Amino acid sequence: MGKETFKYIANYCEENIWQLCRHPVLAETDKRVVIVSNQAGNCSFWQQQSMPDSGPVCWDYHVVLLAFVSGEWCVYDFDSKLEFPVGLASYLECTFRPTQTTAANAPFFKVFPGDEFTRTFSSDRSHMKDAVGNWIFQPPAWDAIESDQSPGLHLNEIRDFSPKSPHRVLSLDELKAAFVQA
């Protein structure tokens, strides 16, 4: 199924993935939600739709879905130019280019079970408003995602890649070791 089958709005990757995680097509699929960022909040991604002709797009964070499909972990990234889905090994190789990555823009990852994410994630969308309360990017037509689960996964918390983060942060090599079959 193509990307157009699923709910999507630009600049709201966490909500797009929350919607995708709940889609009936993936109901019986083992899923993980992956938040990609780093301490600087400046992570380089190649092969993104908004990528300039040469060079990466730098995101403060990005959210993708890992799903176990046909015996391998695959990535669903609405903003990627790669296939949808694409095998994790291919995605990592094409999206995070080690020879063009520095310590300052290297990716790090937080991984959450899909059912936990859909049950406990909340975002009031405040990160998409400027200092006076105007939208930086128009929000989705669907209601903001709110969970009454405690403890919940709040957007500001899962975007925190500092040493104080309560969630485990994986390096690229650790993510590969955990999810890429040899």
Side-chain angles (χ1 to χ4, degrees), residues 105-126:
N105 67 359
F108 286 86
F109 308 86
K110 290 183 180 182
V111 180
F112 299 95
D115 60 343
E116 176 188 353
F117 189 79
T118 57
R119 191 178 66 255
T120 64
F121 175 71
S122 294
S123 174
D124 62 7
R125 299 179 177 160
S126 59

Side-chain angles (χ1 to χ4, degrees), residues 18-156:
W18 186 87
Q19 296 285 349
L20 178 61
C21 226
R22 299 179 64 218
H23 196 281
V25 167
L26 296 173
E28 301 301 318
T29 306
D30 190 4
K31 299 176 286 292
R32 303 288 188 278
V33 174
V34 180
I35 291 78
V36 187
S37 189
N38 57 29
Q39 283 190 45
N42 186 29
C43 193
S44 297
F45 291 74
W46 279 261
Q47 295 297 321
Q48 295 287 288
Q49 297 288 349
S50 59
M51 184 172 113
D53 290 337
S54 63
V57 168
C58 292
W59 297 113
D60 55 343
Y61 73 98
H62 192 48
V63 182
V64 300
L65 181 67
L66 268 183
F68 199 70
V69 179
S70 301
E72 75 170 320
W73 287 100
C74 294
V75 175
Y76 289 81
D77 180 352
F78 284 103
D79 300 300
S80 178
K81 294 178 184 178
L82 302 173
E83 293 178 43
F84 186 85
V86 62
L88 178 59
S90 255
Y91 179 83
L92 296 175
E93 182 179 319
C94 294
T95 304
F96 305 109
R97 299 181 179 173
T99 59
Q100 296 172 321
T101 300
T102 66
N105 67 359
F108 286 86
F109 308 86
K110 290 183 180 182
V111 180
F112 299 95
D115 60 343
E116 176 188 353
F117 189 79
T118 57
R119 191 178 66 255
T120 64
F121 175 71
S122 294
S123 174
D124 62 7
R125 299 179 177 160
S126 59
H127 67 295
M128 290 298 197
K129 290 186 175 183
D130 64 18
V132 294
N134 298 313
W135 290 110
I136 298 167
F137 297 106
Q138 199 58 35
W142 58 78
D143 291 338
I145 300 168
E146 298 176 9
S147 172
D148 59 0
Q149 296 284 314
S150 182
L153 293 173
H154 300 280
L155 183 60
N156 289 338

